[in-house]
Protein backbone atom coordinates (compact mmCIF):
# COMPACT_ATOMS: atom_id res chain seq x y z
CA UNK A 1 0.00 0.00 0.00
CA UNK A 2 1.31 3.45 -0.88
CA UNK A 3 0.82 6.66 0.95
CA UNK A 4 0.17 5.09 4.28
CA UNK A 5 1.19 8.32 6.05
CA UNK A 6 -2.01 10.04 4.93
CA UNK A 7 -4.06 7.33 6.64
CA UNK A 8 -3.12 8.65 10.07
CA UNK A 9 -3.54 12.32 9.25
CA UNK A 10 -7.04 12.29 10.81
CA UNK A 11 -5.45 11.40 14.15
CA UNK A 12 -2.33 13.58 13.90
CA UNK A 13 -4.49 16.57 12.94
CA UNK A 14 -6.36 16.24 16.24
CA UNK A 15 -3.09 17.28 17.98
CA UNK A 16 -3.94 15.33 21.13
CA UNK A 17 -1.61 15.36 24.13
CA UNK A 18 -2.97 11.99 25.27
CA UNK A 19 -3.91 8.76 23.51
CA UNK A 20 -7.11 8.84 21.47
CA UNK A 21 -10.01 7.76 23.69
CA UNK A 22 -13.19 6.14 22.43
CA UNK A 23 -15.70 5.43 25.19
CA UNK A 24 -19.37 4.75 25.71
CA UNK A 25 -21.59 1.76 26.33
CA UNK A 26 -21.25 -1.64 24.70
CA UNK A 27 -24.85 -1.22 23.53
CA UNK A 28 -27.24 1.66 23.14
CA UNK A 29 -30.14 0.53 25.36
CA UNK A 30 -32.48 3.48 25.73
CA UNK A 31 -32.36 7.12 24.68
CA UNK A 32 -32.04 8.13 28.32
CA UNK A 33 -29.12 5.75 28.92
CA UNK A 34 -27.24 6.89 25.79
CA UNK A 35 -27.63 10.58 26.67
CA UNK A 36 -26.88 10.12 30.36
CA UNK A 37 -23.55 8.39 29.74
CA UNK A 38 -22.66 10.92 27.04
CA UNK A 39 -23.24 13.85 29.40
CA UNK A 40 -21.11 12.16 32.07
CA UNK A 41 -18.27 11.74 29.53
CA UNK A 42 -18.60 15.17 27.98
CA UNK A 43 -15.88 17.04 29.85
CA UNK A 44 -13.33 14.23 29.97
CA UNK A 45 -10.54 13.14 27.61
CA UNK A 46 -13.03 11.16 25.52
CA UNK A 47 -12.70 11.98 21.80
CA UNK A 48 -15.36 9.71 20.31
CA UNK A 49 -18.55 8.44 21.88
CA UNK A 50 -19.28 4.81 21.05
CA UNK A 51 -22.47 2.77 21.30
CA UNK A 52 -23.32 -0.50 19.57
CA UNK A 53 -26.62 -0.32 17.71
CA UNK A 54 -26.51 -3.67 15.91
CA UNK A 55 -25.03 -6.20 18.30
CA UNK A 56 -23.49 -9.36 16.91
CA UNK A 57 -24.09 -11.92 19.65
CA UNK A 58 -22.46 -15.30 19.67
CA UNK A 59 -25.73 -17.06 20.58
CA UNK A 60 -29.20 -15.90 19.51
CA UNK A 61 -31.59 -14.84 22.21
CA UNK A 62 -29.34 -12.27 23.85
CA UNK A 63 -29.99 -8.56 23.36
CA UNK A 64 -29.23 -7.87 19.70
CA UNK A 65 -29.30 -4.10 19.72
CA UNK A 66 -31.94 -1.41 19.28
CA UNK A 67 -31.26 -1.02 15.56
CA UNK A 68 -31.52 2.14 13.48
CA UNK A 69 -33.49 3.94 16.20
CA UNK A 70 -30.25 4.23 18.19
CA UNK A 71 -28.67 6.32 15.42
CA UNK A 72 -31.09 9.12 16.26
CA UNK A 73 -29.93 8.97 19.88
CA UNK A 74 -26.31 9.30 18.73
CA UNK A 75 -27.28 12.34 16.67
CA UNK A 76 -28.76 13.80 19.85
CA UNK A 77 -25.51 13.05 21.69
CA UNK A 78 -23.62 15.11 19.12
CA UNK A 79 -26.14 17.95 19.23
CA UNK A 80 -26.23 18.12 23.04
CA UNK A 81 -22.59 17.44 23.94
CA UNK A 82 -20.57 18.21 20.81
CA UNK A 83 -18.92 14.79 21.08
CA UNK A 84 -18.17 12.92 17.89
CA UNK A 85 -19.93 9.58 17.54
CA UNK A 86 -19.15 6.09 16.35
CA UNK A 87 -20.79 2.71 15.95
CA UNK A 88 -20.19 -0.74 14.50
CA UNK A 89 -21.37 -1.55 10.99
CA UNK A 90 -21.64 -5.10 9.68
CA UNK A 91 -23.28 -4.79 6.25
CA UNK A 92 -24.08 -2.32 3.45
CA UNK A 93 -27.46 -1.39 4.96
CA UNK A 94 -25.80 -0.44 8.26
CA UNK A 95 -23.28 1.72 6.40
CA UNK A 96 -26.02 3.52 4.50
CA UNK A 97 -27.99 4.25 7.69
CA UNK A 98 -24.88 5.34 9.61
CA UNK A 99 -23.92 7.75 6.82
CA UNK A 100 -27.45 9.16 6.70
CA UNK A 101 -27.27 9.83 10.44
CA UNK A 102 -23.90 11.54 10.23
CA UNK A 103 -21.99 9.08 12.40
CA UNK A 104 -18.36 10.29 12.41
CA UNK A 105 -16.43 7.06 12.72
CA UNK A 106 -17.42 3.50 11.85
CA UNK A 107 -15.78 0.35 13.07
CA UNK A 108 -15.89 -3.15 11.70
CA UNK A 109 -16.35 -5.80 14.38
CA UNK A 110 -14.21 -8.86 15.00
CA UNK A 111 -16.90 -11.20 13.67
CA UNK A 112 -16.99 -9.28 10.38
CA UNK A 113 -13.23 -9.06 9.84
CA UNK A 114 -13.15 -12.86 9.53
CA UNK A 115 -15.18 -12.62 6.32
CA UNK A 116 -13.65 -11.01 3.22
CA UNK A 117 -17.17 -11.04 1.68
CA UNK A 118 -18.54 -8.83 4.47
CA UNK A 119 -15.50 -6.55 4.43
CA UNK A 120 -15.83 -6.13 0.67
CA UNK A 121 -19.53 -5.35 0.97
CA UNK A 122 -18.81 -2.69 3.60
CA UNK A 123 -15.88 -1.28 1.60
CA UNK A 124 -18.08 -0.98 -1.52
CA UNK A 125 -20.83 0.75 0.48
CA UNK A 126 -18.27 3.25 1.83
CA UNK A 127 -16.77 4.16 -1.53
CA UNK A 128 -16.53 7.91 -2.00
CA UNK A 129 -17.07 8.87 1.67
CA UNK A 130 -14.42 10.39 3.88
CA UNK A 131 -15.43 8.68 7.11
CA UNK A 132 -12.88 7.29 9.55
CA UNK A 133 -13.03 3.50 9.49
CA UNK A 134 -11.42 1.25 12.11
CA UNK A 135 -10.98 -2.47 11.59
CA UNK A 136 -11.04 -4.76 14.61
CA UNK A 137 -8.81 -7.82 14.50
CA UNK A 138 -10.65 -11.00 13.48
CA UNK A 139 -11.80 -13.27 16.32
CA UNK A 140 -9.23 -15.88 15.27
CA UNK A 141 -5.51 -15.10 15.52
CA UNK A 142 -4.96 -14.49 11.80
CA UNK A 143 -2.87 -11.46 10.92
CA UNK A 144 -3.61 -11.75 7.18
CA UNK A 145 -7.37 -11.34 7.61
CA UNK A 146 -6.74 -8.18 9.63
CA UNK A 147 -4.30 -6.75 7.07
CA UNK A 148 -6.66 -7.83 4.27
CA UNK A 149 -9.51 -5.86 5.85
CA UNK A 150 -7.41 -2.70 5.88
CA UNK A 151 -6.28 -3.30 2.29
CA UNK A 152 -9.84 -3.77 0.99
CA UNK A 153 -10.94 -0.47 2.56
CA UNK A 154 -7.86 1.28 1.22
CA UNK A 155 -8.62 -0.02 -2.27
CA UNK A 156 -12.14 1.38 -1.97
CA UNK A 157 -10.55 4.83 -1.48
CA UNK A 158 -10.99 5.12 2.30
CA UNK A 159 -8.18 7.43 3.41
CA UNK A 160 -8.82 7.70 7.14
CA UNK A 161 -8.04 4.31 8.56
CA UNK A 162 -7.18 2.65 11.84
CA UNK A 163 -7.11 -0.74 13.53
CA UNK A 164 -8.46 -1.97 16.84
CA UNK A 165 -6.78 -4.77 18.76
CA UNK A 166 -9.49 -6.57 20.79
CA UNK A 167 -7.78 -9.91 21.43
CA UNK A 168 -8.44 -13.37 20.02
CA UNK A 169 -10.67 -16.21 21.06
CA UNK A 170 -9.29 -19.54 22.22
CA UNK A 171 -10.96 -22.78 23.15
CA UNK A 172 -8.72 -22.98 26.16
CA UNK A 173 -9.89 -21.00 29.20
CA UNK A 174 -7.51 -18.19 30.16
CA UNK A 175 -7.72 -15.20 32.49
CA UNK A 176 -8.71 -13.14 29.45
CA UNK A 177 -12.01 -13.17 27.59
CA UNK A 178 -9.96 -12.83 24.39
CA UNK A 179 -6.22 -13.38 24.74
CA UNK A 180 -4.20 -10.37 23.57
CA UNK A 181 -1.51 -12.27 21.60
CA UNK A 182 0.49 -9.04 21.68
CA UNK A 183 2.98 -10.32 19.12
CA UNK A 184 0.23 -10.20 16.45
CA UNK A 185 -0.42 -6.54 17.24
CA UNK A 186 3.33 -5.91 17.08
CA UNK A 187 3.49 -7.62 13.68
CA UNK A 188 0.55 -5.50 12.54
CA UNK A 189 2.51 -2.37 13.56
CA UNK A 190 5.56 -3.62 11.70
CA UNK A 191 3.54 -4.17 8.50
CA UNK A 192 1.52 -0.95 8.69
CA UNK A 193 3.53 1.41 10.93
CA UNK A 194 1.50 4.48 9.93
CA UNK A 195 -1.95 3.10 10.64
CA UNK A 196 -3.23 4.18 14.06
CA UNK A 197 -3.58 1.21 16.37
CA UNK A 198 -6.13 1.35 19.15
CA UNK A 199 -6.42 -1.11 22.00
CA UNK A 200 -9.75 -2.42 23.28
CA UNK A 201 -8.99 -3.66 26.80
CA UNK A 202 -12.71 -4.20 27.49
CA UNK A 203 -13.11 -7.08 25.04
CA UNK A 204 -9.62 -8.42 25.78
CA UNK A 205 -10.20 -8.71 29.53
CA UNK A 206 -13.94 -9.20 29.83
CA UNK A 207 -13.35 -7.92 33.35
CA UNK A 208 -13.20 -4.31 34.50
CA UNK A 209 -10.50 -5.01 37.12
CA UNK A 210 -7.89 -5.79 34.45
CA UNK A 211 -8.53 -2.83 32.15
CA UNK A 212 -5.84 -0.54 33.58
CA UNK A 213 -3.09 -3.17 33.26
CA UNK A 214 -3.92 -4.11 29.68
CA UNK A 215 -4.22 -0.44 28.70
CA UNK A 216 -0.79 0.24 30.19
CA UNK A 217 0.80 -2.60 28.22
CA UNK A 218 -0.80 -1.23 25.05
CA UNK A 219 0.58 2.27 25.65
CA UNK A 220 4.02 0.83 26.39
CA UNK A 221 3.81 -0.90 23.02
CA UNK A 222 3.16 2.48 21.33
CA UNK A 223 -0.56 2.06 20.69
CA UNK A 224 -2.25 5.29 19.59
CA UNK A 225 -5.44 5.00 21.58
CA UNK A 226 -7.93 3.08 23.69
CA UNK A 227 -11.54 2.02 23.26
CA UNK A 228 -13.09 1.43 26.69
CA UNK A 229 -16.71 0.40 27.26
CA UNK A 230 -18.32 2.78 29.73
CA UNK A 231 -21.77 2.65 31.34
CA UNK A 232 -23.38 4.69 34.15
CA UNK A 233 -24.54 1.45 35.83
CA UNK A 234 -22.25 -1.30 34.45
CA UNK A 235 -23.74 -4.19 36.40
CA UNK A 236 -27.13 -3.48 34.86
CA UNK A 237 -25.83 -3.19 31.28
CA UNK A 238 -27.78 -5.23 28.73
CA UNK A 239 -24.55 -6.62 27.24
CA UNK A 240 -20.96 -7.11 28.44
CA UNK A 241 -21.82 -6.00 32.01
CA UNK A 242 -18.67 -7.42 33.68
CA UNK A 243 -16.25 -5.44 31.54
CA UNK A 244 -17.82 -1.98 31.54
CA UNK A 245 -16.59 0.83 33.81
CA UNK A 246 -18.37 3.93 35.06
CA UNK A 247 -17.43 7.32 33.59
CA UNK A 248 -15.65 8.27 36.82
CA UNK A 249 -13.68 5.03 36.79
CA UNK A 250 -12.67 5.80 33.19
CA UNK A 251 -11.35 9.18 34.29
CA UNK A 252 -9.41 7.45 37.07
CA UNK A 253 -7.92 4.94 34.61
CA UNK A 254 -6.78 7.78 32.34
CA UNK A 255 -5.17 9.46 35.37
CA UNK A 256 -3.41 6.29 36.51
CA UNK A 257 -1.96 5.44 33.11
CA UNK A 258 1.65 6.33 32.52
CA UNK A 259 1.32 8.21 29.27
CA UNK A 260 4.55 8.78 27.45
CA UNK A 261 4.80 12.13 25.83
CA UNK A 262 7.35 12.79 23.14
CA UNK A 263 8.97 15.74 24.85
CA UNK A 264 12.36 17.27 24.09
CA UNK A 265 13.99 15.46 26.98
CA UNK A 266 12.71 12.11 25.77
CA UNK A 267 14.93 11.17 22.91
CA UNK A 268 14.11 8.76 20.13
CA UNK A 269 16.50 6.39 21.85
CA UNK A 270 14.35 6.28 24.96
CA UNK A 271 11.17 5.75 23.01
CA UNK A 272 12.68 2.88 21.05
CA UNK A 273 14.16 1.39 24.19
CA UNK A 274 10.91 1.35 26.11
CA UNK A 275 9.10 -0.11 23.10
CA UNK A 276 11.63 -2.94 22.84
CA UNK A 277 11.44 -3.52 26.59
CA UNK A 278 7.68 -3.82 26.40
CA UNK A 279 8.11 -6.43 23.66
CA UNK A 280 10.55 -8.34 25.87
CA UNK A 281 8.03 -8.26 28.74
CA UNK A 282 5.38 -9.77 26.48
CA UNK A 283 7.72 -12.55 25.36
CA UNK A 284 8.89 -13.28 28.93
CA UNK A 285 5.28 -13.71 30.00
CA UNK A 286 4.77 -16.12 27.13
CA UNK A 287 7.87 -18.06 28.21
CA UNK A 288 6.50 -18.52 31.71
CA UNK A 289 3.09 -19.45 30.33
CA UNK A 290 4.68 -22.05 28.02
CA UNK A 291 6.88 -23.49 30.76
CA UNK A 292 3.81 -23.80 33.00
CA UNK A 293 2.01 -25.70 30.23
CA UNK A 294 5.01 -27.99 29.72
CA UNK A 295 5.07 -28.77 33.42
CA UNK A 296 1.38 -29.70 33.40
CA UNK A 297 2.01 -32.20 30.58
CA UNK A 298 5.00 -33.53 32.47
CA UNK A 299 2.78 -33.97 35.56
CA UNK A 300 0.49 -36.13 33.39
CA UNK A 301 3.48 -38.30 32.51
CA UNK A 302 4.30 -38.55 36.22
CA UNK A 303 0.76 -39.86 36.90
CA UNK A 304 1.18 -42.51 34.19
CA UNK A 305 4.58 -43.55 35.54
CA UNK A 306 3.06 -43.89 38.98
CA UNK A 307 0.27 -46.15 37.70
CA UNK A 308 2.75 -48.39 35.87
CA UNK A 309 5.38 -48.14 38.56
CA UNK A 310 8.00 -46.97 36.06
CA UNK A 311 11.19 -45.05 37.00
CA UNK A 312 10.94 -41.27 36.77
CA UNK A 313 14.24 -40.82 34.93
CA UNK A 314 14.24 -42.26 31.39
CA UNK A 315 17.74 -41.44 30.07
CA UNK A 316 17.13 -42.43 26.44
CA UNK A 317 14.17 -40.15 26.08
CA UNK A 318 16.04 -37.32 27.74
CA UNK A 319 19.07 -37.63 25.43
CA UNK A 320 16.77 -37.54 22.40
CA UNK A 321 15.13 -34.32 23.60
CA UNK A 322 18.47 -32.68 24.27
CA UNK A 323 19.93 -33.61 20.87
CA UNK A 324 16.89 -32.29 19.03
CA UNK A 325 16.77 -29.05 21.02
CA UNK A 326 20.49 -28.34 20.57
CA UNK A 327 20.01 -28.53 16.78
CA UNK A 328 16.85 -26.42 16.93
CA UNK A 329 18.65 -23.88 19.13
CA UNK A 330 21.57 -23.65 16.73
CA UNK A 331 19.22 -22.71 13.91
CA UNK A 332 17.96 -19.82 16.08
CA UNK A 333 21.44 -18.59 17.00
CA UNK A 334 21.45 -20.09 20.52
CA UNK A 335 24.68 -21.68 21.72
CA UNK A 336 24.83 -25.36 22.63
CA UNK A 337 25.97 -24.44 26.12
CA UNK A 338 22.97 -22.22 26.69
CA UNK A 339 20.45 -24.78 25.38
CA UNK A 340 22.03 -27.46 27.55
CA UNK A 341 21.91 -25.36 30.70
CA UNK A 342 18.34 -24.25 30.07
CA UNK A 343 17.04 -27.75 29.38
CA UNK A 344 18.88 -29.20 32.34
CA UNK A 345 17.04 -26.73 34.54
CA UNK A 346 13.70 -27.54 32.91
CA UNK A 347 14.35 -31.25 33.14
CA UNK A 348 15.30 -30.98 36.81
CA UNK A 349 12.06 -29.15 37.58
CA UNK A 350 10.12 -31.88 35.73
CA UNK A 351 11.87 -34.60 37.70
CA UNK A 352 11.11 -32.80 40.96
CA UNK A 353 7.44 -32.59 40.00
CA UNK A 354 7.25 -36.23 38.92
CA UNK A 355 9.08 -37.45 42.02
CA UNK A 356 6.44 -35.78 44.14
CA UNK A 357 3.65 -37.37 42.11
CA UNK A 358 5.17 -40.87 42.05
CA UNK A 359 5.74 -40.76 45.80
CA UNK A 360 2.37 -39.30 46.69
C1 LIG B 1 -18.10 -4.21 20.62
O1 LIG B 1 -17.20 -3.37 20.44
O2 LIG B 1 -19.07 -4.02 21.36
C2 LIG B 1 -17.97 -5.53 19.99
C3 LIG B 1 -19.02 -6.29 19.70
O3 LIG B 1 -16.71 -5.86 19.81
P1 LIG B 1 -15.99 -7.10 19.06
O4 LIG B 1 -16.34 -6.96 17.61
O5 LIG B 1 -14.57 -6.80 19.37
O6 LIG B 1 -16.48 -8.36 19.70
MN1 LIG C 1 -19.14 -5.14 23.96
Amino acid sequence: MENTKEMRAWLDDMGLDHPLVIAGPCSAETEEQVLRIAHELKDTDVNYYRAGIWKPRTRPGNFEGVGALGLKWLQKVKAETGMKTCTEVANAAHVKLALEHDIDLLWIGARSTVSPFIIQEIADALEGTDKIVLVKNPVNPDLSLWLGGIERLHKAGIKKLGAIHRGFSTYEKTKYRNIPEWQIAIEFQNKFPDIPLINDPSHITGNREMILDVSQTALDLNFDGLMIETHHDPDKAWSDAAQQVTPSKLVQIMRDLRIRKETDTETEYNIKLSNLRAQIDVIDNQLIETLGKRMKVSDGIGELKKQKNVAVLQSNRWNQILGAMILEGESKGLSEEFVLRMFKAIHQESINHQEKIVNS
Side-chain angles (χ1 to χ4, degrees), residues 150-170:
I150 298 277
E151 285 161 348
R152 281 178 199 278
L153 291 164
H154 180 61
K155 275 201 166 153
I158 307 299
K159 300 239 169 9
K160 301 175 181 170
L161 282 165
I164 303 175
H165 170 233
R166 52 78 81 193
F168 302 87
S169 69
T170 49

Side-chain angles (χ1 to χ4, degrees), residues 155-219:
K155 275 201 166 153
I158 307 299
K159 300 239 169 9
K160 301 175 181 170
L161 282 165
I164 303 175
H165 170 233
R166 52 78 81 193
F168 302 87
S169 69
T170 49
Y171 185 60
E172 196 186 345
K173 287 267 162 286
T174 72
K175 67 174 175 174
Y176 300 104
R177 179 176 175 197
N178 293 289
I179 48 168
E181 301 280 24
W182 293 105
Q183 74 283 2
I184 297 181
I186 292 166
E187 275 178 56
F188 182 95
Q189 280 176 318
N190 289 338
K191 289 266 190 220
F192 289 152
D194 297 320
I195 295 191
L197 184 58
I198 290 148
N199 185 255
D200 173 349
S202 309
H203 290 91
I204 287 177
T205 62
N207 164 2
R208 64 181 74 99
E209 302 307 324
M210 291 160 70
I211 286 182
L212 175 64
D213 267 8
V214 167
S215 302
Q216 186 62 60
T217 302
L219 296 189

